[in-house]
mmCIF file of all heavy atoms in Angstrom:
data_model
loop_
_atom_site.group_PDB
_atom_site.id
_atom_site.type_symbol
_atom_site.label_atom_id
_atom_site.label_comp_id
_atom_site.label_asym_id
_atom_site.label_seq_id
_atom_site.Cartn_x
_atom_site.Cartn_y
_atom_site.Cartn_z
ATOM 1 N N THR A 73 -6.229 8.943 2.798
ATOM 2 C CA THR A 73 -7.290 8.396 1.964
ATOM 3 C C THR A 73 -6.800 7.362 0.966
ATOM 4 O O THR A 73 -7.596 6.685 0.357
ATOM 5 C CB THR A 73 -8.007 9.525 1.179
ATOM 6 O OG1 THR A 73 -7.029 10.262 0.472
ATOM 7 C CG2 THR A 73 -8.765 10.438 2.120
ATOM 8 N N THR A 74 -5.491 7.247 0.779
ATOM 9 C CA THR A 74 -4.978 6.225 -0.127
ATOM 10 C C THR A 74 -4.617 4.992 0.699
ATOM 11 O O THR A 74 -3.633 5.006 1.412
ATOM 12 C CB THR A 74 -3.733 6.745 -0.888
ATOM 13 O OG1 THR A 74 -4.062 8.007 -1.449
ATOM 14 C CG2 THR A 74 -3.337 5.800 -1.997
ATOM 15 N N PRO A 75 -5.417 3.940 0.616
ATOM 16 C CA PRO A 75 -5.229 2.809 1.522
ATOM 17 C C PRO A 75 -3.886 2.121 1.359
ATOM 18 O O PRO A 75 -3.323 1.650 2.339
ATOM 19 C CB PRO A 75 -6.356 1.844 1.157
ATOM 20 C CG PRO A 75 -7.145 2.478 0.081
ATOM 21 C CD PRO A 75 -6.534 3.773 -0.306
ATOM 22 N N THR A 76 -3.333 2.066 0.137
ATOM 23 C CA THR A 76 -2.063 1.358 -0.015
ATOM 24 C C THR A 76 -0.962 2.067 0.754
ATOM 25 O O THR A 76 -0.006 1.445 1.183
ATOM 26 C CB THR A 76 -1.662 1.265 -1.501
ATOM 27 O OG1 THR A 76 -1.787 2.559 -2.080
ATOM 28 C CG2 THR A 76 -2.546 0.293 -2.245
ATOM 29 N N LYS A 77 -1.099 3.392 0.929
ATOM 30 C CA LYS A 77 -0.090 4.099 1.710
ATOM 31 C C LYS A 77 -0.258 3.809 3.196
ATOM 32 O O LYS A 77 0.709 3.798 3.940
ATOM 33 C CB LYS A 77 -0.173 5.602 1.440
ATOM 34 C CG LYS A 77 0.360 5.910 0.058
ATOM 35 C CD LYS A 77 0.455 7.385 -0.196
ATOM 36 C CE LYS A 77 0.989 7.600 -1.621
ATOM 37 N NZ LYS A 77 0.898 8.976 -2.027
ATOM 38 N N ARG A 78 -1.487 3.575 3.587
ATOM 39 C CA ARG A 78 -1.711 3.304 5.004
ATOM 40 C C ARG A 78 -1.084 1.992 5.444
ATOM 41 O O ARG A 78 -0.789 1.795 6.611
ATOM 42 C CB ARG A 78 -3.205 3.265 5.290
ATOM 43 C CG ARG A 78 -3.717 4.602 5.758
ATOM 44 C CD ARG A 78 -5.194 4.648 5.770
ATOM 45 N NE ARG A 78 -5.775 3.846 6.833
ATOM 46 C CZ ARG A 78 -7.075 3.771 7.024
ATOM 47 N NH1 ARG A 78 -7.889 4.445 6.249
ATOM 48 N NH2 ARG A 78 -7.562 3.046 7.980
ATOM 49 N N THR A 79 -0.902 1.038 4.507
ATOM 50 C CA THR A 79 -0.318 -0.244 4.892
ATOM 51 C C THR A 79 1.177 -0.125 5.132
ATOM 52 O O THR A 79 1.799 -1.059 5.579
ATOM 53 C CB THR A 79 -0.553 -1.305 3.813
ATOM 54 O OG1 THR A 79 0.170 -0.918 2.644
ATOM 55 C CG2 THR A 79 -2.026 -1.440 3.506
ATOM 56 N N ARG A 80 1.773 1.009 4.791
ATOM 57 C CA ARG A 80 3.219 1.140 5.001
ATOM 58 C C ARG A 80 3.534 1.722 6.371
ATOM 59 O O ARG A 80 4.654 2.111 6.620
ATOM 60 C CB ARG A 80 3.825 2.007 3.904
ATOM 61 C CG ARG A 80 3.954 1.186 2.625
ATOM 62 C CD ARG A 80 4.507 1.990 1.495
ATOM 63 N NE ARG A 80 3.967 1.486 0.241
ATOM 64 C CZ ARG A 80 3.666 2.235 -0.797
ATOM 65 N NH1 ARG A 80 3.837 3.536 -0.723
ATOM 66 N NH2 ARG A 80 3.188 1.727 -1.896
ATOM 67 N N THR A 81 2.549 1.803 7.223
ATOM 68 C CA THR A 81 2.807 2.345 8.547
ATOM 69 C C THR A 81 3.522 1.311 9.411
ATOM 70 O O THR A 81 3.477 0.112 9.144
ATOM 71 C CB THR A 81 1.504 2.740 9.246
ATOM 72 O OG1 THR A 81 0.716 1.554 9.388
ATOM 73 C CG2 THR A 81 0.735 3.760 8.440
ATOM 74 N N TRP A 82 4.132 1.782 10.461
ATOM 75 C CA TRP A 82 4.852 0.935 11.387
ATOM 76 C C TRP A 82 3.896 -0.054 12.045
ATOM 77 O O TRP A 82 4.203 -1.247 12.203
ATOM 78 C CB TRP A 82 5.543 1.828 12.424
ATOM 79 C CG TRP A 82 6.256 1.102 13.508
ATOM 80 C CD1 TRP A 82 6.083 1.283 14.847
ATOM 81 C CD2 TRP A 82 7.255 0.101 13.355
ATOM 82 N NE1 TRP A 82 6.910 0.443 15.525
ATOM 83 C CE2 TRP A 82 7.651 -0.298 14.646
ATOM 84 C CE3 TRP A 82 7.850 -0.506 12.252
ATOM 85 C CZ2 TRP A 82 8.615 -1.281 14.845
ATOM 86 C CZ3 TRP A 82 8.810 -1.481 12.461
ATOM 87 C CH2 TRP A 82 9.182 -1.846 13.748
ATOM 88 N N GLY A 83 2.727 0.396 12.424
ATOM 89 C CA GLY A 83 1.753 -0.468 13.073
ATOM 90 C C GLY A 83 1.345 -1.628 12.181
ATOM 91 O O GLY A 83 1.218 -2.757 12.643
ATOM 92 N N GLU A 84 1.158 -1.338 10.895
ATOM 93 C CA GLU A 84 0.756 -2.388 9.962
ATOM 94 C C GLU A 84 1.897 -3.379 9.753
ATOM 95 O O GLU A 84 1.679 -4.589 9.657
ATOM 96 C CB GLU A 84 0.328 -1.755 8.639
ATOM 97 C CG GLU A 84 -0.027 -2.738 7.536
ATOM 98 C CD GLU A 84 -1.224 -3.614 7.859
ATOM 99 O OE1 GLU A 84 -1.977 -3.311 8.811
ATOM 100 O OE2 GLU A 84 -1.416 -4.626 7.158
ATOM 101 N N GLN A 85 3.126 -2.895 9.712
ATOM 102 C CA GLN A 85 4.254 -3.807 9.563
ATOM 103 C C GLN A 85 4.365 -4.726 10.773
ATOM 104 O O GLN A 85 4.665 -5.914 10.642
ATOM 105 C CB GLN A 85 5.546 -3.018 9.378
ATOM 106 C CG GLN A 85 5.689 -2.526 7.939
ATOM 107 C CD GLN A 85 6.876 -1.610 7.765
ATOM 108 O OE1 GLN A 85 7.802 -1.614 8.569
ATOM 109 N NE2 GLN A 85 6.843 -0.811 6.720
ATOM 110 N N LYS A 86 4.100 -4.157 11.949
ATOM 111 C CA LYS A 86 4.141 -4.980 13.165
ATOM 112 C C LYS A 86 3.050 -6.032 13.116
ATOM 113 O O LYS A 86 3.239 -7.170 13.510
ATOM 114 C CB LYS A 86 3.949 -4.091 14.401
ATOM 115 C CG LYS A 86 5.244 -3.564 14.945
ATOM 116 C CD LYS A 86 5.146 -3.269 16.439
ATOM 117 C CE LYS A 86 4.053 -2.259 16.732
ATOM 118 N NZ LYS A 86 4.356 -1.406 17.873
ATOM 119 N N ARG A 87 1.866 -5.619 12.632
ATOM 120 C CA ARG A 87 0.743 -6.534 12.549
ATOM 121 C C ARG A 87 1.076 -7.688 11.598
ATOM 122 O O ARG A 87 0.769 -8.844 11.867
ATOM 123 C CB ARG A 87 -0.483 -5.768 12.051
ATOM 124 C CG ARG A 87 -1.780 -6.503 12.211
ATOM 125 C CD ARG A 87 -2.949 -5.588 11.953
ATOM 126 N NE ARG A 87 -3.230 -5.420 10.538
ATOM 127 C CZ ARG A 87 -4.104 -6.160 9.858
ATOM 128 N NH1 ARG A 87 -4.781 -7.089 10.475
ATOM 129 N NH2 ARG A 87 -4.299 -5.968 8.593
ATOM 130 N N ARG A 88 1.707 -7.380 10.483
ATOM 131 C CA ARG A 88 2.080 -8.424 9.525
ATOM 132 C C ARG A 88 3.114 -9.364 10.118
ATOM 133 O O ARG A 88 3.047 -10.570 9.941
ATOM 134 C CB ARG A 88 2.645 -7.794 8.252
ATOM 135 C CG ARG A 88 1.571 -7.095 7.476
ATOM 136 C CD ARG A 88 2.089 -6.590 6.178
ATOM 137 N NE ARG A 88 1.027 -5.837 5.520
ATOM 138 C CZ ARG A 88 0.828 -5.803 4.211
ATOM 139 N NH1 ARG A 88 1.616 -6.473 3.426
ATOM 140 N NH2 ARG A 88 -0.146 -5.111 3.699
ATOM 141 N N LYS A 89 4.084 -8.782 10.824
ATOM 142 C CA LYS A 89 5.121 -9.608 11.429
ATOM 143 C C LYS A 89 4.497 -10.541 12.461
ATOM 144 O O LYS A 89 4.852 -11.711 12.551
ATOM 145 C CB LYS A 89 6.185 -8.715 12.072
ATOM 146 C CG LYS A 89 7.405 -9.485 12.501
ATOM 147 C CD LYS A 89 8.436 -8.574 13.115
ATOM 148 C CE LYS A 89 9.630 -9.376 13.605
ATOM 149 N NZ LYS A 89 9.258 -10.413 14.604
ATOM 150 N N ALA A 90 3.545 -10.001 13.226
ATOM 151 C CA ALA A 90 2.871 -10.817 14.240
ATOM 152 C C ALA A 90 2.107 -11.964 13.579
ATOM 153 O O ALA A 90 2.086 -13.082 14.093
ATOM 154 C CB ALA A 90 1.921 -9.950 15.062
ATOM 155 N N ALA A 91 1.495 -11.702 12.425
ATOM 156 C CA ALA A 91 0.756 -12.746 11.712
ATOM 157 C C ALA A 91 1.713 -13.844 11.265
ATOM 158 O O ALA A 91 1.398 -15.044 11.365
ATOM 159 C CB ALA A 91 0.020 -12.147 10.523
#
Side-chain angles (χ1 to χ4, degrees):
T73 54
T74 310
T76 49
K77 287 187 181 170
R78 266 168 72 179
T79 66
R80 283 178 211 144
T81 62
W82 176 234
E84 176 63 15
Q85 280 173 20
K86 270 207 301 212
R87 193 169 81 93
R88 290 185 184 215
K89 190 179 177 302

